[in-house]
Each structure stands twice: as structure tokens, then as C-alpha cells.
């Protein structure tokens, strides 16, 4: 409260100071022509710079597509594009992928890229002692064979419809055997930017790779600065210390940037399905009526307005609304407190219920949790809020299934498959859902895949596994003259390949 | 004097040993697994197990404690779980920000507080004294993070004289580095200067009632001369105590200011390391800070002796 007060007071004083500065002509002009460097703000510092050795989104936000590349890459619209593999052939049974690699590609340390590097990277990621956070991406691979220096044959044990998409993840980038061990602190990739230095706790600097195989980057230098405090991020943007903050942490200040001609505010989509997760294995939530009651008790739009200042899209299932296969199921459990009360009474909880609501640190969870607790109270469910740190959240609700309700955003793309996992923290077990996923994995026909995705979405909505809240929005703030940044984030990345300054 | 130092040294070692045990135990009971944190929500359990093994988290508790404390003696603090670089390097990098910042803030506090405190004591119960007392009361009452935000909004966002935060590194030049520490140092110094000025004033007022001041006045010195030549030196003992405490506080307690100005200092290192369960970093930094506080106190004890000759002559 004290902080919030300080913040708003500070803001109005800041506006006053700004006005004074403008009136007295003290604000210097940033009229430097042909700027070729960019400074980008990020909320969290990456723990290391090896995308194959950690789950932190911050790693990919610095190095994905900039420093490291995979066989394929994910484009700004979420489509799969060729990267180090110029093209590929898929056998009729969907089991053998033959990748033709690009010629003349070198790593930043001068070593040549060839098929051996691909074999090395994929074998390393799926090895017994691998510490790749997304090991599941490689689970379908049975063998990787070098045909010739520019051809690699990947054989799968069973067809995997999303294999090419999987190979575009940051966790599947192709590293060199010579440098892989040091990538955490000195990343060596094939991308359009090379690593220059890292002042820990402050910034990472990248420089243009003059020997890049593709179209070279237009920027000469890119600096990623780590500013976690939302107020500090606001001040740094306003002072133009930063050129862009692609994932701005304080939605409450966006209107001030919108009103300022120096900045562009771009609201885009993410892959973050924000859910009120329910422990399906624990009484009384093993009763579908109780789960349905919770779904009817929550007013999603009120949560979006109150917690996210209106930025976000309501969802009715665990799927991104901008995806072609999305089904709008938001009407299935419309906001209806009376119905929620009736369902609770039917389930034998007419005189109320007390549950725990464990909240991780992000503001969508903390603010959203307060609002949802109010809404649940209105139907007789008392939610006891506990605020957890991330590490604690992973230990208690996530690994230990020690929770009733929690709020979290699942930011991995196309992750509906988590509902088929037996040991997952929802504790949801459905043979029908598993059968859909099984068939999906064995299907490569796009039309059939779309149908199956839709069946899967309906299945978890029918079972009211969780209360599906909203898709996180990505609020980017950047200098109005800076072009070519991604508006959406189909993967968590700050791809600067196409970024440039407009005169 | 020799046995005084030896005695202090034994108690210093005992304090550090006790602190190391407490720190280690607290880190052990803290919920959260560093490996699980690093690999995130989609992690494969086998990958988490492999990482735990790699980080040495599966060794017995006693073994890990002895490894850690043993490493401390030879200056090897282990490898950070998340950054994967030696903890010693991480701490050394951060000290290059935190120590200069603490020194700058302390110097600023002293430069402001000494004259202000002396003037207030000399003009006690006057309007000047009242104004100074009011201002210092305000200086203590204003939360320093809020004052820091005001500084940023006025001098960075408004006037553009300073950047809003961050630290370019000393490689960018001494002056550039110093400049980036100016606003944080001012924000840190304000409450410290206020406290110090008040302590200075009251310590001086206490000495002004002493016989030697009356004697000095009787010799014909003016009130100001008596304060400058005789009272200040005698008032320094309580002031030194406060300065010692303040330096430890500034070194360890700048977490919030470091966050407001996103400075890569020790405070932010601890803050991040706790959130990421980089326990090996937390343990080492905390123990190091305990050591710093103990050593500063020890130095202050020695400084008393320098200021007050009576303490030097005191028989053991």
C-alpha cells in the first residue's frame, strides 16, 4: 500500500518535473541520425545463456534467433520456418525426417557447422544425463544419422505431428561440440548476433555477426538490460535509457506511454493460458459439480479488468485464442453465481466451503487471486490466500500437489498435452483425453489434427478440469521510431533479426 | 592492548562459526529445490534428477556443510547453481558496486551531518536549531525508496542529467561509473545524514556540560572555539559507533535502493539468489556480510582507542 502510494505520488511529481523540464527547454533532443544500436529492457536476468540447459524464459529472450538457431524456427505468427535446415523431406509413414542443411554456415568462433553438430545437439538433449528442461521435445526420436555433411536423417519411434515445431524451440537449438560446455557463460551459436559481454546483474551485450549466412541484421549492437521493478522500468523508458521494453511489467502505466508521441504501445498475444488450477485428486474437487461451480463463480472479464487493466482475452479451455484450431468455449461456464451456489448445494456443500488458494509472485496471480477470492466468497467458498515465491510454488503445489487452488499462466506454446500427464499437478486422469492425444501424436494430416485439437479442448472443458481464465496479453512499449520488433510472442523471444531504426 | 585484540579475535571467530551454522540450517529448511526451479514447469523428472546430481545436491548434509565452510578458508565459495560461475567472482563483481556506493553514501552523510550537527549544537534552542531538527526529522521519516523515485523522476525523467539507473561498469570509465552512483548515494545518504546530525548534536550538547568546556571558556575561548577545539573530539565516540553501524547497514541493506536503481550490487544479488534458490550464493554472501559487520565493529573498537587516549592506557 505504501509502495503503491509512493508510486502514484511519484508519478504525478514526475509528470510535473517533466513539464517543467519541457517548458524550460532543458530536455535534450535525441536527434541522432541513423542509430544502429538498441537497448532492450527485460524484467528478469537470465541465469545463464544456454537455452538447452534451463527453462528460464529470460534465456530465450536474449539468445533465441539472435545468437542460437535450430533446424527450424518459429516465426512471428507462430508458423514453422526453415532455419539451419534449408528444407526437409518427410517419409510417407511420418517416421523419417531428412533435413538438408544450409551451406557455408559457421559458428561465431569460426568453426564450421555441419551434420555432425546436429547429431551432437540432438543426441545430447535426449541423453540419459541430459539436463534439457524440455526433454520431452526429443522423446519421439529413435536415432539421428549423418548421411553426408549437409544431410541429417532423424528417425522417430512413432509419428509426431508437431516434430518440426518442436525443433524450432529454443531448447532444440544446434550447438557445436567444441563450445557447448561453455555456452552458459559464453554462448557460441550461428545466429545474426554474437555474444559480446555480460555485466552480471546489469546487462548482456550482443554485436552483429558479419559472417552471418543469411540476411545480416540491420542493428550493429543490441543491449539487454535487466530491470525488474515496474516503477524503475517506467522511469528508464521515460528517461529514454531504454529503446524498448517488449514485455512491459506495469499495465497500469501503459496509458501514459500511449499519450506520449515518443512511444509506441503494441498489445499482442502470447501463448500464456492463465488458469485457476484445481487439485482434481483432492476432495471436494474430485466432484465435477464442485469444479463446475467454481467455473461458474468466476467472472473472467472482471479479473481481466481488475488485475490486468483490461489487457487479456477470456478463454474457456486451455488453448490460445489466436490459434486456428481454437474453439471458443467461454460460454460453457458463463458467470452465474446462482448456478454456482446451486451446484455446490447439489454436491452437499450448501453451507459453504473453505479452500486454500496459493499464489505465485506474478501480478496476474496476486491481483487476480484477490479478485477471485472475492468472487468465490460470493458463492460461499472461502479462499484462504497464501502468497508463495516461485521456488516454493514449484515445491508445494507443482511438485507436491499440496494445494486446493492456484493461479498460474502456462506459457509454453501448444501445451494442451500436459492434461494427459498422470503425474501432473492437476491430478487429472481421463482415458478419453489420453486417447485423443495419442491419436493426435500419430496424425500428420492438418485437417484431422485440427479436429483432434478441438476434441481435446472440449474434453477438458466438459470435465471442468480447471477454471480457464484468460490468455495473457503481451504489452510492448518501444520507441516510435524503432521498427521490426515482434508484436506477438508465439515463443518467448526478442528476435532482433528484422529490427531497424526508421529515419 | 594485545590481549584485548586477541580476546576480540576469539569472539569474532565464534560469532562467525555460529553464524555459519545458522545460515546453513536456514537454507536447508527453506522449501524449494534449485534444480526444479531452474528447469521449470515442463521439466522431465529425469532431467531434474540429473541436474541435482550435477549440482552436488545429493550429498549428505554434513558433507555439504564441511565442503562449504572448508572452501571458505581457501577462498573457494563453490559454483553458483544458476549462473554457473564461481561464487567468488560473482561476489567480487558486486563488491565493486556495493563498496563504492556505501563509501560514497557514507562520505556524503558525514560531509552533511558534521557541520549541520555542530551548527545545531552551537545555536541550540534557536530558530536555526529548530529548523535543522525539523529537517533531520523529515529526513529520517521519508522512506528512502520513495525519495529515490523522486530523484529519478526529477533528475532522470525530467532533467535528463542522470540515467534512471543501472551501472555501466568501471570499464566504461571511473567518472561514468561514479556518475551512475550519484543518485543512489544521495538517496541512501539522506536518512543516514539526518541520523548522524542528530547524534552529533546531542553528543556535543552532552560534552558542553563537562568541566573542561567550562575551563576552556574561562580561559577566554568563545563558545564556537570551545566546541571546535575541545568538544567535537570528545563527542566523536558515539558518532563513531553510529558511523560503524551505518557502514554495515549501507553495505548489506541497500537492497531496496539497488532495486529502484537496478544496480548490480550485493543486495540485489542476494535478492535474486533467494528467489532462484541459488542457495550457495545466498549462504556465502550472508556469511560474508556477517563477517563484514563483525570486522567493522572490531575496527570501531580500535578506533575508540585512537580517539580516546584513556582507552589506550586502560590496563587489561
Amino acid at each position: 500500500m505504501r509502495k503503491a502510494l509512493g508510486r502514484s505520488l511519484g508519478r504525478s511529481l514526475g509528470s510535473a518535473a517533466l513539464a517543467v523540464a519541457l517548458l524550460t527547454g532543458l530536455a535534450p533532443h535525441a536527434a541522432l541520425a541513423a542509430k544502429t544500436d538498441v537497448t532492450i529492457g527485460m524484467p528478469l536476468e537470465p541465469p545463464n545463456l544456454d537455452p538447452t540447459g534451463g527453462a528460464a524464459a529470460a534465456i530465450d529472450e536474449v539468445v533465441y534467433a539472435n545468437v542460437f538457431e535450430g533446424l527450424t524456427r518459429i516465426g512471428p505468427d507462430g508458423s514453422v520456418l526453415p532455419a539451419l535446415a534449408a528444407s526437409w523431406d518427410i517419409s510417407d509413414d511420418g517416421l523419417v525426417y531428412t533435413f538438408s542443411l544450409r551451406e557455408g554456415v559457421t559458428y561465431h568462433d569460426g568453426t564450421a557447422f555441419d551434420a555432425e553438430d546436429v547429431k551432437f545437439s540432438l543426441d545430447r538433449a535426449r541423453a540419459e544425463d541430459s539436463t534439457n528442461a524440455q526433454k520431452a521435445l526429443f522423446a519421439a526420436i529413435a536415432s539421428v544419422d549423418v548421411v553426408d555433411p549437409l544431410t541429417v536423417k532423424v528417425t522417430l519411434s512413432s509419428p509426431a505431428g508437431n516434430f518440426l515445431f518442436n525443433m524450432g524451440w529454443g531448447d532444440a537449438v544446434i550447438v557445436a561440440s567444441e563450445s557447448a560446455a561453455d555456452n552458459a557463460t559464453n554462448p557460441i551459436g550461428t545466429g545474426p548476433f554474437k555474444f559480446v559481454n555480460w555485466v552480471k546483474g546489469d546487462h548482456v551485450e550482443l554485436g552483429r555477426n558479419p559472417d552471418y549466412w543469411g540476411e545480416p541484421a540491420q542493428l550493429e549492437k543490441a543491449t539487454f538490460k535487466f530491470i525488474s521493478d515496474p516503477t524503475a522500468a517506467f522511469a528508464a523508458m521515460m528517461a529514454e535509457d531504454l529503446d524498448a521494453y517488449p514485455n512491459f511489467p506495469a499495465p497500469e502505466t501503459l496509458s501514459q506511454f500511449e499519450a506520449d508521441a515518443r512511444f509506441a504501445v503494441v498489445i499482442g498475444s502470447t501463448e500464456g493460458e492463465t488458469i485457476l488450477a484445481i487439485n482434481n485428486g483432492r476432495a471436494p474437487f474430485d466432484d465435477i459439480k464442485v469444479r463446475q461451480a467454481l467455473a461458474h463463480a468466476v467472472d473472467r472479464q472482471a479479473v481481466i479488468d481488475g488485475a490486468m487493466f483490461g489487457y487479456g482475452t477470456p478463454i474457456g479451455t486451455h488453448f490460445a485464442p489466436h490459434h486456428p484450431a481454437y474453439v471458443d468455449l467461454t460460454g460453457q461456464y458463463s458467470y452465474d453465481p446462482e448456478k454456482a451456489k446451486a451446484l455446490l448445494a447439489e454436491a452437499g456443500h450448501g453451507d459453504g466451503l473453505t479452500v486454500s488458494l496459493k499464489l505465485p509472485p506474478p501480478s496476474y496471480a496476486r491481483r487476480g487471486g484477490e479478485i477471485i477470492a472475492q468472487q468465490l466468497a460470493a458463492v460461499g467458498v472461502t479462499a484462504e490466500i497464501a502468497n508463495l515465491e516461485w521456488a516454493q510454488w514449484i515445491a508445494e503445489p507443482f511438485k507436491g500437489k499440496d494445494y486446493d487452488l492456484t493461479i498460474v499462466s502456462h506459457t509454453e506454446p501448444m501445451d494442451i498435452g500436459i492434461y494427459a500427464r498422470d503425474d501432473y499437478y492437476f491430478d487429472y486422469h481421463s482415458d478419453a483425453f489420453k486417447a485423443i492425444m495419442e491419436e493426435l501424436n500419430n496424425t500428420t494430416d492438418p485437417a484431422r489434427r485440427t479436429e483432434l485439437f478441438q476434441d481435446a479442448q472440449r474434453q477438458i472443458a466438459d470435465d471442468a478440469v480447471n477454471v480457464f481464465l484468460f490468455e495473457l496479453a503481451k504489452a510492448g512499449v518501444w520507441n516510435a521510431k524503432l521498427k521490426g520488433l515482434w508484436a506477438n510472442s508465439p515463443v518467448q523471444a526478442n528476435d532482433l533479426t528484422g529490427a531497424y531504426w526508421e529515419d | 592492548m594485545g590481549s584485548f585484540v586477541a580476546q576480540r579475535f576469539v569472539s569474532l571467530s565464534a560469532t562467525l562459526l555460529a553464524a555459519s551454522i545458522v545460515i546453513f540450517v536456514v537454507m536447508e529448511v527453506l522449501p524449494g529445490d534449485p534444480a526444479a526451479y531452474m528447469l521449470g514447469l515442463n521439466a522431465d523428472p529425469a532431467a531434474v534428477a540429473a541436474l541435482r546430481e550435477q549440482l552436488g545436491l545429493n550429498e549428505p548434509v554434513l558433507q555439504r556443510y564441511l565442503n562449504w565452510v572448508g572452501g571458505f578458508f581457501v577462498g573457494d565459495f563453490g559454483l553458483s547453481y544458476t549462473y554457473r560461475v564461481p561464487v567468488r567472482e560473482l561476489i567480487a563483481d558486486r563488491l565493486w558496486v556495493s563498496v563504492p556506493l556505501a563509501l560514497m553514501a557514507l562520505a556524503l552523510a558525514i560531509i552533511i551531518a558534521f557541520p549541520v550537527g555542530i551548527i545545531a549544537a552551537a545555536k541550540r534552542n534557536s530558530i536555526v536549531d529548530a529548523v535543522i531538527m525539523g529537517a533531520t526529522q523529515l529526513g529520517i521519516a521519508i522512506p528512502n525508496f520513495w525519495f529515490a523515485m523522486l530523484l529519478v523522476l526529477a533528475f532522470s525523467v525530467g532533467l535528463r542529467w542522470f540515467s534512471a539507473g543501472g551501472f555501466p561498469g568501471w570499464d566504461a570509465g571511473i567518472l561514468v561509473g561514479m556518475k551512475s552512483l550519484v543518485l543512489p548515494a544521495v538517496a541512501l545518504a539522506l536518512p543516514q545524514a539526518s541520523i548522524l546530525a542528530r547524534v552529533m548534536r546531542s553528543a556535543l550538547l552532552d560534552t558542553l556540560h563537562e568541566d573542561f568546556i567550562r575551563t576552556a571558556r574561562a580561559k577566554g575561548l568563545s563558545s564556537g572555539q570551545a566546541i571546535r577545539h575541545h568538544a567535537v573530539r570528545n563527542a566523536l565516540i558515539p558518532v563513531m559507533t553510529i558511523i560503524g553501524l551505518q557502514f554495515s547497514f549501507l553495505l548489506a541493506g541497500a537492497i531496496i535502493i539497488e532495486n529502484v536503481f537496478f544496480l548490480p550490487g550485493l543486495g540485489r544479488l542476494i535478492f535474486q539468489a533467494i528467489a532462484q534458490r541459488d542457495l550457495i550464493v545466498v549462504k556465502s554472501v550472508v556469511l560474508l556480510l556477517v563477517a563484514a559487520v563483525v570486522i567493522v565493529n572490531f575496527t570501531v573498537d580500535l578506533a575508540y582507542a585512537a580517539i580516546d587516549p584513556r582507552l589506550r592506557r586502560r590496563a587489561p
Side-chain angles (χ1 to χ4, degrees):
Chain A
M1 187 59 216
R2 198 180 188 193
K3 189 160 185 190
L5 182 67
R7 213 181 271 167
S8 65
L9 244 172
R11 205 175 306 131
S12 44
L13 275 166
S15 316
L18 187 66
V20 169
L22 288 172
L23 282 174
T24 51
L26 274 169
H29 289 290
L32 295 165
K35 200 172 158 173
T36 55
D37 63 318
V38 70
T39 306
I40 300 215
M42 284 172 47
L44 292 176
E45 177 171 27
N48 64 69
L49 295 174
D50 180 0
T52 67
I59 302 174
D60 283 344
E61 285 172 6
V62 174
V63 300
Y64 184 78
N66 296 329
V67 176
F68 288 109
E69 297 171 303
L71 289 172
T72 62
R73 57 172 288 179
I74 314 292
D77 57 351
S79 57
V80 178
L81 305 172
L84 290 175
S87 63
W88 47 82
D89 282 315
I90 307 173
S91 66
D92 291 339
D93 58 3
L95 287 175
V96 182
Y97 286 68
T98 310
F99 293 97
S100 303
L101 307 179
R102 278 191 210 273
E103 259 187 277
V105 178
T106 54
Y107 284 94
H108 300 148
D109 62 356
T111 55
F113 157 82
D114 63 20
E116 289 295 342
D117 295 313
V118 176
K119 180 172 169 52
F120 168 78
S121 301
L122 297 184
D123 283 348
R124 173 171 171 262
R126 64 199 189 91
E128 189 76 23
D129 61 346
S130 157
T131 55
N132 194 301
Q134 313 294 344
K135 215 174 158 183
L137 296 179
F138 311 93
I141 300 178
S143 69
V144 182
D145 300 296
V146 174
V147 178
D148 64 55
L150 291 176
T151 314
V152 178
K153 197 173 80 181
V154 179
T155 310
L156 307 183
S157 48
S158 61
N162 52 353
F163 183 67
L164 289 171
F165 187 85
N166 288 353
M167 290 302 102
W169 281 51
D171 307 81
V173 296
I174 304 302
V175 296
S177 54
E178 296 90 342
S179 48
D182 296 328
N183 276 344
T185 48
N186 183 25
I188 303 284
T190 56
F193 290 93
K194 42 169 120 181
F195 171 74
V196 177
N197 79 354
W198 181 3
V199 175
K200 296 219 170 51
D202 198 67
H203 67 264
V204 169
E205 193 185 317
L206 306 180
R208 180 159 62 194
N209 171 14
D211 305 318
Y212 186 55
W213 56 266
E215 193 178 328
Q218 305 197 43
L219 296 170
E220 275 172 20
K221 196 176 119 177
T223 307
F224 292 91
K225 247 177 135 43
F226 315 117
I227 306 176
S228 52
D229 186 80
T231 317
F234 172 79
M237 276 307 296
M238 278 293 174
E240 293 185 35
D241 287 356
L242 298 178
D243 299 315
Y245 206 117
N247 238 322
F248 200 72
E252 62 273 22
T253 58
L254 288 177
S255 56
Q256 288 186 66
F257 287 109
E258 275 168 350
D260 193 325
R262 292 178 296 159
F263 304 106
V265 175
V266 180
I267 306 296
S269 61
T270 71
E271 298 295 317
E273 291 84 28
T274 311
I275 57 172
L276 174 67
I278 304 174
N279 192 343
N280 283 242
R282 193 185 260 191
F285 311 104
D286 49 355
D287 183 344
I288 187 170
K289 288 206 173 78
V290 175
R291 301 200 300 270
Q292 287 172 333
L294 294 177
H296 279 299
V298 173
D299 180 357
R300 296 176 183 80
Q301 195 56 49
V303 176
I304 294 170
D305 291 343
M308 308 308 293
F309 295 81
Y311 299 102
T313 313
I315 52 174
T317 185
H318 197 107
F319 219 72
H322 52 82
H323 195 283
Y326 173 74
V327 207
D328 186 353
L329 297 171
T330 47
Q332 189 164 355
Y333 302 102
S334 54
Y335 175 54
D336 189 345
E338 288 313 313
K339 195 162 181 190
K341 276 190 220 166
L343 281 163
L344 281 172
E346 271 180 56
H349 302 286
D351 46 356
L353 201 59
T354 300
V355 301
S356 74
L357 174 56
K358 296 193 170 178
L359 304 175
S363 58
Y364 66 73
R366 294 279 167 89
R367 290 185 194 148
E370 298 285 347
I371 296 167
I372 286 173
Q374 283 295 316
Q375 295 176 349
L376 293 182
V379 300
V381 176
T382 311
E384 288 173 344
I385 290 180
N387 289 336
L388 269 48
E389 292 172 87
W390 268 125
Q392 211 179 349
W393 187 87
I394 287 174
E396 290 175 19
F398 189 70
K399 295 198 85 179
K401 299 193 185 97
D402 175 16
Y403 77 107
D404 294 334
L405 303 175
T406 182
I407 297 176
V408 75
S409 196
H410 283 261
T411 53
E412 276 82 12
M414 304 292 282
D415 55 1
I416 195 169
I418 53 181
Y419 288 79
R421 291 195 194 174
D422 272 325
D423 55 350
Y424 215 57
Y425 74 110
F426 313 140
D427 218 355
Y428 166 68
H429 310 277
S430 157
D431 291 334
F433 185 82
K434 280 181 199 157
I436 297 170
M437 280 293 127
E438 179 83 37
E439 193 185 340
L440 188 65
N441 277 335
N442 295 323
T443 307
T444 43
D445 172 43
R448 180 68 190 138
R449 283 180 65 81
T450 298
E451 273 172 36
L452 288 165
F453 269 129
Q454 295 182 336
D455 289 348
Q457 294 174 54
R458 289 195 187 94
Q459 184 68 48
I460 53 172
D462 289 346
D463 289 341
V465 183
N466 294 313
V467 181
F468 307 102
L469 299 172
F470 56 89
E471 193 76 8
L472 273 186
K474 171 179 174 296
V477 179
W478 49 79
N479 192 301
K481 292 198 173 97
L482 182 61
K483 307 290 173 184
L485 296 182
W486 286 15
N488 302 323
S489 66
V491 283
Q492 284 169 314
N494 291 308
D495 179 357
L496 298 176
T497 323
Y500 64 98
W501 287 94
E502 195 179 64
D503 295 332
Chain B
M1 185 77 191
S3 75
F4 169 70
V5 173
Q7 193 191 334
R8 293 297 320 206
F9 188 77
V10 170
S11 92
L12 185 149
S13 311
T15 310
L16 287 179
L17 181 69
S20 76
I21 293 171
V22 171
I23 293 165
F24 189 84
V25 170
V26 168
M27 292 297 126
E28 281 302 308
V29 298
L30 200 65
D33 173 9
Y37 178 84
M38 282 164 70
L39 295 185
L41 301 195
N42 262 3
D44 185 287
V48 176
L51 186 60
R52 278 188 66 86
E53 189 63 44
Q54 210 178 324
L55 296 175
L57 289 167
N58 291 334
E59 285 171 32
V61 174
L62 189 66
Q63 182 69 40
R64 277 184 291 131
Y65 174 74
L66 292 177
N67 285 350
W68 174 55
V69 172
F72 235 84
F73 282 103
V74 291
D76 172 14
F77 300 173
L79 213 60
S80 157
Y81 297 156
T82 45
Y83 282 123
R84 316 260 175 104
V85 298
V87 176
R88 188 170 35 117
E89 276 177 31
L90 273 182
I91 294 178
D93 282 354
R94 302 305 177 103
L95 281 175
W96 278 104
V97 178
S98 284
V99 172
L101 176 61
L103 287 175
M104 257 172 97
L106 195 64
L108 207 60
I110 292 172
I111 291 169
I112 298 169
F114 273 41
V116 168
I118 293 170
I119 290 168
K123 313 241 184 224
R124 59 195 170 279
N125 302 330
S126 73
I127 182 86
V128 177
D129 185 26
V131 168
I132 289 175
M133 284 298 97
T136 53
Q137 187 65 58
L138 200 64
I140 295 169
I142 291 177
N144 62 4
F145 69 85
W146 183 74
F147 182 59
M149 285 176 204
L150 290 194
L151 289 176
V152 169
L153 290 166
F155 294 102
S156 306
V157 177
L159 297 173
R160 303 271 193 95
W161 289 353
F162 296 92
S163 61
F167 184 70
W170 293 111
D171 295 342
I174 301 246
L175 281 179
V176 178
M178 298 262 286
K179 192 180 169 201
S180 69
L181 296 181
V182 168
L183 292 186
V186 170
L188 281 171
L190 175 82
Q192 306 305 328
S194 304
I195 295 169
L196 209 53
R198 294 174 77 89
V199 172
M200 188 75 194
R201 174 182 178 273
S202 60
L204 272 176
L205 290 183
D206 284 347
T207 41
L208 288 181
H209 296 125
E210 300 277 346
D211 289 342
F212 63 85
I213 296 294
R214 198 170 306 136
T215 312
R217 291 300 302 276
K219 277 197 312 196
L221 293 186
S222 71
S223 167
Q225 283 170 323
I227 287 177
R228 275 199 301 281
H229 297 302
H230 298 281
V232 170
R233 191 179 170 111
N234 283 285
L236 275 182
I237 292 228
V239 172
M240 283 300 295
T241 312
I242 298 293
I243 290 178
L245 288 175
Q246 284 183 331
F247 184 70
S248 321
F249 172 80
L250 288 171
L251 199 56
I255 296 182
I256 295 172
I257 290 297
E258 283 177 10
N259 271 308
V260 172
F261 289 99
F262 43 103
L263 290 173
L266 271 187
R268 214 160 133 237
L269 179 65
I270 298 194
F271 189 72
Q272 277 185 351
I274 292 175
Q276 299 173 341
R277 289 297 183 273
D278 197 346
L279 302 180
I280 192 156
V281 171
V282 181
K283 284 189 289 199
S284 303
V285 177
V286 173
L287 188 58
L288 210 67
L289 289 173
V290 172
V293 171
V294 174
I295 290 166
V296 167
N297 284 348
F298 179 68
T299 316
V300 170
D301 283 348
L302 296 184
Y304 289 159
I307 296 169
D308 188 343
R310 283 172 302 181
L311 290 178
R312 254 176 298 181
R313 281 196 298 272
R314 190 173 58 186

